[in-house]
């Protein structure tokens, strides 16, 4: 509770860090903010080229099937891997100024989240232009799963950013971990293709239910199943609780360790 | 916590682990377990103090005594290993300037970022924006990207933000060295304003003058303990005195090491050693041994302004020197000659040196102001022919509690014509 109040007091800091990140990222480039949209669009072009022309497979509109899952995954993996170096990157600030340390991961995850939001706009536009169309009711449920994913990503970012202060290996280790994680999450394939006996393992993966929900909404144009959502919510809350706990324990000695 | 206090520090202990070679990766940690040996250094040892609201306190002490750590504990960047730190009110710290500045963004945008890191809301920043820009004197450049600023402009902007964050408690670490003299004066005046507005201030500084001008109280921290606590005019001189003596023990140690090579070895007939740049002369006689003592006969190399310094110079004679005289010169470390004389100038008749001996020179009430000084000593003969001219033969330092400036202190008194003081 105290933490929430403090974070609220520092809302302007979160806001301006997010703004700095978003605005500063493409500053000085010719196309500027346009890159936020151009980036996912160009990526989509590459995937379309590869999977519709070269590597054809059985799934209909595979590039869309892939892309609706890849966008939320990229948000998540950025929060796992890039968040690791977060505290260390801001060490001048951490060593010299007091502010609730949670501000840094919150701002980072939020700015990644906003990036994902823009990418999703591109996805929606493409879905309509490609003739696939969207289901308005399903899309209206999109924010729910987005918030759940945000909570999960924040939980993970809190853990990785705090631990990396003490173990620099984490930063490199996480690169490999996220790659493995990516292939163990039904992104490049459908969850139906997973062997039944491996399913319990897949259900342990918090991202499985999230990706399924995104795909239900955007690709299959249907409301996500209740059980998928509940599973995701429970995972999200557990991750956030763990993240806050770990971060809270480790943050006291940040200034000395850096 | 008492109502009237802004800060209460109670029996705070802070220890640091000093690693010889700390492994940051798992491999290093696993493989080199033995390398992870560390010493635990107690930086603060059960320190307690209270600061009433509105008081300005200066923390003084030598480097590494724990004063910056104390400030960091107050800022809540670090947490004590034992004891408690309690504060009442909003804390702002002028420790890091320009935190979060983005070089590609304009000065104005950076004000928002920087001020928000100090915990200000957008509304609060909006209302201060005008003051901040005016204070920085950067009106014309405020919408240019910060990367186009000179370093002075950059610091001015950063300082303006920091000093306009109104806080109940303001913590400052050695930062009044920003910008040119004008801007410094401005910062100083602003600090005084802040203080008169009732803000509690804690400053860490080596500049005693600053502390005396702003603070009501000095706390001297030495080796993790509070050594003295009181009004600056009383504490600061004791501290300076102590530091002067410390310096002396350090330079004594240095001398022990260098004694053998600085002073001439034997009465060598040919003074063509590598040191011949430092000394020259025809070598008929050689300065052999020089000592520098205070009135109590104790060897020293650090003196308080106004103390007597007594030199004793031994010499040995290789061949009779006719019509000789002794001389001395004192130079400040930047080469300014502060004093010079010899026996001839002072009407002591020329003499012959036939055998080894010594002479003493008693400098009364040396009032050279704090600094480092070098002493040249010479034996001459005839009309200025050097027999042994020994430059930088000795070095001494002076210290003082008074901050007067110049080369030497001139005895003086003040008197007011109209009895205003």
């Amino acid at each position: 509770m105290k933490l929430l109040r403090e974070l609220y007091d520092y809302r302007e800091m979160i806001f301006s860090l997010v703004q700095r990140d978003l605005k500063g990222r493409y500053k000085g480039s010719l196309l500027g903010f346009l890159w936020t949209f151009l980036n996912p669009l160009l990526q989509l072009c590459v995937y379309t080229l590869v999977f519709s022309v070269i590597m054809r497979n059985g799934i209909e509109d595979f590039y869309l099937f892939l892309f609706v899952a890849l966008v939320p995954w990229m948000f998540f993996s950025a929060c796992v891997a890039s968040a690791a170096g977060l505290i260390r990157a801001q060490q001048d600030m951490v060593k010299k100024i007091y502010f609730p340390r949670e501000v840094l991961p919150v701002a980072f995850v939020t700015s990644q989240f906003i990036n994902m939001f823009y990418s999703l706009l591109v996805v929606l536009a493409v879905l309509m232009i490609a003739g696939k169309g969207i289901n308005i009711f399903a899309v209206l449920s999109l924010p729910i799963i987005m918030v759940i994913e945000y909570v999960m990503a924040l939980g993970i970012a809190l853990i990785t950013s705090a631990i990396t202060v003490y173990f620099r290996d984490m930063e490199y280790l996480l690169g490999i971990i996220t790659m493995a994680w990516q292939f163990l999450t039904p992104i490049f394939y459908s969850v139906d293709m997973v062997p039944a006996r491996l399913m319990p393992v897949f259900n342990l993966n918090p991202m499985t239910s999230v990706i399924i929900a995104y795909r239900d909404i955007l690709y299959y144009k249907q409301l996500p199943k209740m059980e998928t959502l509940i599973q995701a919510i429970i995972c999200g809350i557990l991750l956030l609780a763990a993240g806050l706990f770990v971060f809270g324990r480790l943050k006291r000695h940040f200034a000395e360790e850096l | 916590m008492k109502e009237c206090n802004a800060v209460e520090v109670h029996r705070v202990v802070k220890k640091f682990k000093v690693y010889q070679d700390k492994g940051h990766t798992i491999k290093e940690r696993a493989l080199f377990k033995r390398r992870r040996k560390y010493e635990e250094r107690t930086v603060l040892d059960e320190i307690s103090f209270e600061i009433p609201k509105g008081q300005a306190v200066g923390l003084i002490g030598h480097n590494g005594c724990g004063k910056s750590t104390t400030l960091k504990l107050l800022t809540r960047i670090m947490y004590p290993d034992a004891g408690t730190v309690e504060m009442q009110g909003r804390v702002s710290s002028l420790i890091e300037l320009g935190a979060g500045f983005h070089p590609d963004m304009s000065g104005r945008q950076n004000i928002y970022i920087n001020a928000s890191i100090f915990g200000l809301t957008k509304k609060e920043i909006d209302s201060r924006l005008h003051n901040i820009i005016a204070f920085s004197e950067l009106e014309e450049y405020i919408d240019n990207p910060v990367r186009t600023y000179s370093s002075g402009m950059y610091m001015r902007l950063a300082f303006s933000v920091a000093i306009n964050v109104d806080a109940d408690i303001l913590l400052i670490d050695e930062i009044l060295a920003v910008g040119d003299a004008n801007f410094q004066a401005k910062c100083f005046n602003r600090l005084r304003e802040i203080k008169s507005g009732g803000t509690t201030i804690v400053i860490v500084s080596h500049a005693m003058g600053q502390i005396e001008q702003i603070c009501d109280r000095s706390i001297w921290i030495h080796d993790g303990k509070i050594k003295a606590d009181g009004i600056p005019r009383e504490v600061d001189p004791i501290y300076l005195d102590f530091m002067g003596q410390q310096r002396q023990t350090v330079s004594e140690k240095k001398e022990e090491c260098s004694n053998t090579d600085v002073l001439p070895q034997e009465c060598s007939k040919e003074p063509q050693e590598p040191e011949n740049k430092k000394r020259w002369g025809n070598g008929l006689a050689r300065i052999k041994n020089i000592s520098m003592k205070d009135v109590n006969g104790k060897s020293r190399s650090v003196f308080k302004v106004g103390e007597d310094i007594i030199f004793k110079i031994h010499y040995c004679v290789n061949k009779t020197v006719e019509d000789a005289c002794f001389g001395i010169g004192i130079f400040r470390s930047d080469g300014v000659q502060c004093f010079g004389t010899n026996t001839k100038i002072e009407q002591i008749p020329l003499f012959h040196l036939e055998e080894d001996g010594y002479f003493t020179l008693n400098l009364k009430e040396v009032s050279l102001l704090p600094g480092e000084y070098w002493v040249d000593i010479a034996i001459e003969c005839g009309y200025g022919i050097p027999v042994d001219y020994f430059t930088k033969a000795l070095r001494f330092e002076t210290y003082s509690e008074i901050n007067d400036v110049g080369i030497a202190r001139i005895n003086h008194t003040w008197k007011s014509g109209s009895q205003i003081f």
Side-chain angles (χ1 to χ4, degrees), chain B residues 218-239:
Chain B
S218 285
I219 297 178
W220 170 16
I221 298 175
H222 182 69
D223 291 341
K225 286 195 161 32
I226 293 180
K227 188 136 178 168
D229 183 348
I231 60 170
R233 236 175 313 122
E234 282 169 15
V235 177
D236 295 2
I238 315 174
Y239 167 67

Side-chain angles (χ1 to χ4, degrees), chain A residues 46-241:
Chain A
V46 173
Y47 284 113
T48 311
L49 192 73
V50 173
F51 290 105
S52 306
V53 181
I54 304 170
M55 266 181 67
R56 297 168 161 276
N57 66 11
I59 297 170
E60 183 196 350
D61 288 334
F62 184 73
Y63 68 102
L64 290 176
F65 175 87
L66 173 63
F67 206 60
V68 298
L70 203 58
V71 166
W73 170 259
M74 283 189 306
F75 159 63
F76 186 76
S77 74
C79 293
V80 177
S82 313
L86 190 65
I87 307 283
R88 286 217 300 126
Q90 309 285 349
Q91 54 173 301
D92 284 342
M93 234 147 78
V94 174
K95 277 198 281 193
K96 299 282 174 66
I97 298 179
Y98 174 79
F99 53 86
R101 303 313 190 199
E102 285 82 359
V103 162
L104 292 175
V106 168
F108 180 81
V109 173
T110 307
S111 91
Q112 294 295 330
F113 183 75
I114 291 171
N115 258 324
M116 174 176 77
F117 176 74
Y118 289 134
S119 300
L120 283 174
L121 289 183
V122 173
V123 171
L124 288 176
V126 168
L127 281 173
M128 288 199 283
I129 293 166
K132 180 105 183 149
I134 49 172
N135 176 350
I136 295 293
F137 288 109
V139 169
L140 284 180
S141 67
L142 198 57
I144 301 173
I145 193 67
M146 282 169 74
V147 168
I148 295 171
E149 197 193 0
Y150 177 87
V151 168
M152 272 184 195
L154 181 59
I156 287 275
L158 283 168
I159 296 173
T160 57
S161 63
I163 292 180
T164 310
V165 174
Y166 296 85
F167 286 102
R168 292 201 192 147
D169 291 69
M170 278 300 272
E171 227 173 318
Y172 314 113
L173 211 58
L174 281 168
I176 274 300
I177 289 178
T178 44
M179 195 181 87
W181 200 338
Q182 178 171 7
F183 286 106
L184 289 173
T185 309
I187 297 168
F188 288 93
Y189 47 87
S190 155
V191 75
D192 312 327
M193 292 157 77
V194 178
R197 61 193 161 85
L198 282 182
M199 228 18 230
V201 184
F202 271 73
N203 279 331
L204 277 180
N205 177 357
M207 278 308 281
T208 303
S209 49
V210 172
I211 295 295
I212 291 174
Y214 271 104
R215 199 167 267 154
D216 278 347
I217 296 168
L218 294 170
Y219 184 79
Y220 296 112
K221 295 193 284 185
Q222 62 189 29
L223 285 169
K225 289 192 197 77
M226 210 48 187
E227 53 185 83
T228 318
L229 282 184
I230 288 171
Q231 196 186 344
I233 289 172
I234 292 171
C235 280
I237 290 171
L238 285 179
L239 265 178
L240 184 64

Side-chain angles (χ1 to χ4, degrees), chain A residues 6 8-17 19-21 23-25 27-28 90 92-99 101 165-170 172-173 251-257, chain B residues 14-16 19 22-27 29 72 75-81 91 93 95-96 99-102 104-106 109-110 112-114 116-123 125:
Chain A
E6 237 189 336
Y8 181 73
D9 286 342
Y10 276 82
R11 62 192 179 279
E12 183 61 26
M13 179 175 180
I14 298 175
F15 177 71
S16 56
L17 284 180
Q19 207 182 23
R20 185 183 70 163
D21 192 36
K23 280 195 183 165
R25 184 173 302 172
K27 206 111 197 184
Q90 309 285 349
D92 284 342
M93 234 147 78
V94 174
K95 277 198 281 193
K96 299 282 174 66
I97 298 179
Y98 174 79
F99 53 86
R101 303 313 190 199
V165 174
Y166 296 85
F167 286 102
R168 292 201 192 147
D169 291 69
M170 278 300 272
Y172 314 113
L173 211 58
K251 69 175 177 182
R252 290 170 72 90
H253 292 287
F254 279 175
E256 290 154 61
E257 284 291 330
Chain B
K14 182 74 196 170
K15 290 179 182 139
F16 283 130
Y19 290 90
K22 187 178 179 186
H24 267 288
T25 64
I26 296 172
K27 185 197 86 182
R29 289 200 175 190
K72 282 189 175 161
T75 326
R76 288 178 298 168
I77 295 171
M78 288 182 187
Y79 297 85
D81 292 324
V91 182
S93 59
I95 297 180
E96 170 79 352
F101 270 22
H102 192 297
D104 281 331
M105 293 195 173
S106 74
Q109 285 168 315
N110 272 308
Y112 277 93
I113 295 175
N114 192 216
S116 71
I117 292 171
F118 287 112
L120 262 60
T121 60
K122 184 154 185 346
K123 236 199 258 165
I125 303 172

Side-chain angles (χ1 to χ4, degrees), chain B residues 165-384:
Chain B
V165 176
D166 300 330
D168 302 310
I169 304 169
L170 187 62
L171 308 170
I172 306 175
D173 191 1
E174 290 283 3
I175 43 132
L176 292 170
V178 174
D180 53 24
N182 262 334
F183 192 73
Q184 277 187 31
K186 201 169 158 182
C187 294
F188 221 73
N189 289 336
R190 175 85 183 114
L191 265 187
R192 275 205 206 115
E193 264 174 57
I194 290 175
K195 191 192 154 199
S196 60
T199 302
T200 310
I201 302 179
V202 183
I203 301 183
V204 163
S205 183
H206 288 286
M208 293 300 143
Q210 286 180 357
I211 286 197
E212 273 167 45
Q213 280 186 58
I214 286 207
C215 298
D216 315 308
R217 176 177 165 198
S218 285
I219 297 178
W220 170 16
I221 298 175
H222 182 69
D223 291 341
K225 286 195 161 32
I226 293 180
K227 188 136 178 168
D229 183 348
I231 60 170
R233 236 175 313 122
E234 282 169 15
V235 177
D236 295 2
I238 315 174
Y239 167 67
L240 283 175
D241 212 39
F242 179 84
M243 288 300 280
Q245 274 158 35
Q246 283 257 306
R247 234 188 340 257
Q248 182 188 331
T249 38
V250 173
S251 49
E252 258 171 26
K253 268 185 207 150
K254 244 193 280 171
E255 252 161 47
E256 265 170 36
C257 311
S258 56
N259 237 343
T260 41
D261 28 87
V262 168
L263 291 175
Q265 305 79 359
E266 291 297 309
C267 286
S268 57
K269 288 196 176 156
E270 282 172 295
Q272 305 280 342
E273 304 302 316
E275 61 186 40
N276 63 358
K277 270 186 193 157
K278 279 185 72 185
R279 54 195 300 186
W280 57 82
N282 58 22
L284 296 177
R286 290 283 279 175
I287 294 162
K288 200 168 70 179
N289 203 336
I290 313 168
S291 70
M292 182 165 57
K293 290 180 171 154
D294 62 7
V295 272
N296 302 321
K298 200 177 155 223
S299 279
R300 279 166 63 180
S301 64
V302 179
F303 298 87
K304 196 166 162 172
V305 174
E307 270 188 293
D308 290 5
I309 304 180
I310 299 157
F311 296 101
K312 187 170 182 183
I313 297 115
H314 288 268
Y315 56 86
C316 59
V317 178
N318 296 322
K319 208 176 157 199
T320 308
V321 183
E322 291 178 353
D323 298 332
C325 71
F326 299 131
I328 184 173
I330 298 177
F331 297 82
R332 202 162 64 183
S333 52
D334 59 0
V336 174
Q337 179 160 25
C338 304
F339 182 66
T341 188
N342 66 27
T343 51
K344 198 169 81 190
I345 294 174
E346 298 187 18
Q347 311 291 332
I348 298 172
L350 298 174
F351 42 83
H352 300 317
L353 294 179
E354 280 154 355
E355 55 189 35
D356 300 0
Y358 72 91
F359 63 91
T360 59
L361 174 68
N362 190 347
L363 298 178
K364 295 256 184 216
E365 293 171 18
V366 178
S367 42
L368 294 170
L369 289 178
E372 190 186 349
Y373 296 91
W374 291 97
V375 183
D376 289 5
I377 292 182
I379 305 174
E380 292 183 348
C381 69
Y383 290 90

